[in-house]
Amino acid sequence: MGLPDFSANMSVPFYAPVAAAALLVLMPVRWMNRFESALGALLNGEGYGERQTAIKTAEYLKKVRKNFDDLSALFAGQDNHRQLLSYEFRAISRILDHTRQAADIAPVKTAVRYRSETAWAGYAGEQGVSGDSVLWEELPDGNFVIVLSDGMGKGRTAAAESSLAVTTVIQLLKAGLDAELVLKILNSILLLNAEKEVFSTIDLGILNQKTGKMKFYKIGAAPTFIKRRNKQVESLNVSALPMGIVEGIHIDYVETSLSPGDQVILISDGVTDSKREDAEMKWLTETIMGIRSKDPQTMCDLIMNRAVENYGLREKDDLTVATVRME
């Protein structure tokens, strides 16, 4: 509007911005949207179109997620089979929300400050088949997760249950579900097979590699030990029944801050039972303190060797040691 005067006077006349502001105030919303689309297409081409598509997709996912949240609330508090439906609907809701966030136009990313070095050692108590399973993986959000499960009993049945448990936990966490919901879903899955009386413990650690804080969810699991850089050894424990025994399981966790060089040591109860007369597990604390190596594999192997020595000629249970060193 001010172009003619600008050409003549080399300055923008006052009425141009005033008229433009009035035009924007009075313009109907639908006209404004069309104007924005036309202007964006002119200035940004295909990039603008992709942005608008992403915005519409995110809004649609948000609405669908709300529907699944409502369905989850509808089935909450029902019997076990219907309770599982509630968890499934909540899981779908979280996956949709995770997808929406992943497709954000300009997601806020925080640089990962720490890395994790992991190792494990195991001993099979029956015919070379261990009832313990351990997995670890870095999640899409940059968190590092490790999970150890001890299947009740020995042999292939225990191995199948513990393998199912750790795989389910890892996959659901990768899908974007929070740890509490993941563990409740797993508990309901195991309850569906409860007549066979096959249960599993869960020892889950989630390290935030941005802040250095680590959460520990322990469902019937043995204590976790942390060896600090100053060689001090701490133990963490949470009392809870194993998975698949009771409905409506209460999920709790403990959290601690780690520093570069700290080592987290997860063990199965086969290790703790190797010296039952030592209820406070002083032998394990002393063993960890006496290991000078910073290598996670060496830490696992030496603890395993000491536990096997403790059993002597007694029949040995399945033993597993996993170590995470933060760098």
Side-chain angles (χ1 to χ4, degrees), residues 20-36:
L23 183 63
L24 292 176
V25 170
L26 297 175
M27 183 181 294
V29 175
R30 63 179 184 276
W31 291 9
M32 180 65 73
N33 291 337
R34 293 174 182 174
F35 175 74
E36 180 185 6

Side-chain angles (χ1 to χ4, degrees), residues 91-117:
I92 294 172
S93 169
R94 298 303 180 270
I95 292 172
L96 289 171
D97 191 49
H98 184 70
T99 304
R100 182 180 62 83
Q101 293 176 1
D104 195 358
I105 305 306
V108 179
K109 294 184 179 180
T110 304
V112 173
R113 297 176 57 192
Y114 307 104
R115 292 294 178 185
S116 306
E117 185 180 357

Side-chain angles (χ1 to χ4, degrees), residues 70-103:
D70 292 342
L71 287 169
S72 175
L74 180 64
F75 284 91
Q78 302 290 326
D79 59 50
N80 182 53
H81 291 77
R82 291 185 177 182
Q83 183 70 41
L84 182 56
L85 285 175
S86 175
Y87 294 152
E88 289 173 348
F89 287 133
R90 283 180 59 191
I92 294 172
S93 169
R94 298 303 180 270
I95 292 172
L96 289 171
D97 191 49
H98 184 70
T99 304
R100 182 180 62 83
Q101 293 176 1

Side-chain angles (χ1 to χ4, degrees), residues 92-285:
I92 294 172
S93 169
R94 298 303 180 270
I95 292 172
L96 289 171
D97 191 49
H98 184 70
T99 304
R100 182 180 62 83
Q101 293 176 1
D104 195 358
I105 305 306
V108 179
K109 294 184 179 180
T110 304
V112 173
R113 297 176 57 192
Y114 307 104
R115 292 294 178 185
S116 306
E117 185 180 357
T118 312
W120 76 285
Y123 176 90
E126 182 175 307
Q127 299 178 351
V129 179
S130 174
D132 299 343
S133 297
V134 60
L135 281 178
W136 61 83
E137 191 160 338
E138 186 168 314
L139 301 181
D141 59 5
N143 287 344
F144 174 84
V145 59
I146 181 169
V147 57
L148 168 63
S149 178
D150 180 359
M152 297 295 100
K154 294 183 179 180
R156 298 188 183 280
T157 301
E161 289 297 312
S162 64
S163 177
L164 169 70
V166 297
T167 303
T168 299
V169 169
I170 291 289
Q171 294 299 325
L172 290 178
L173 287 173
K174 286 173 63 177
L177 276 63
D178 59 85
E180 180 178 350
L181 178 56
V182 168
L183 296 177
K184 287 183 177 180
I185 291 174
L186 177 60
N187 186 63
S188 293
I189 292 173
L190 296 179
L191 277 171
L192 296 176
N193 201 28
E195 66 276 4
K196 295 184 179 180
E197 295 186 350
V198 179
F199 315 119
S200 296
T201 67
I202 287 291
D203 204 351
L204 171 63
I206 302 178
L207 173 62
N208 187 324
Q209 296 183 123
K210 303 170 187 176
T211 65
K213 292 184 177 181
M214 191 166 187
K215 292 181 179 179
F216 297 90
Y217 298 83
K218 306 179 72 63
I219 314 296
T224 292
F225 292 81
I226 301 177
K227 185 177 184 180
R228 303 289 184 178
R229 290 181 301 175
N230 58 10
K231 297 183 180 181
Q232 290 185 344
V233 178
E234 304 171 6
S235 63
L236 301 174
N237 198 14
V238 177
S239 298
L241 292 172
M243 286 284 189
I245 294 182
V246 297
E247 299 180 15
I249 187 171
H250 175 70
I251 307 298
D252 201 2
Y253 67 87
V254 293
E255 184 177 43
T256 188
S257 295
L258 301 178
S259 299
D262 289 349
Q263 295 190 62
V264 176
I265 302 152
L266 280 67
I267 57 176
S268 64
D269 60 7
V271 177
T272 60
D273 290 345
S274 68
K275 200 169 186 178
R276 294 177 179 175
E277 65 273 19
D278 185 359
E280 297 181 358
M281 289 175 285
K282 292 182 180 179
W283 73 268
L284 186 50
T285 300

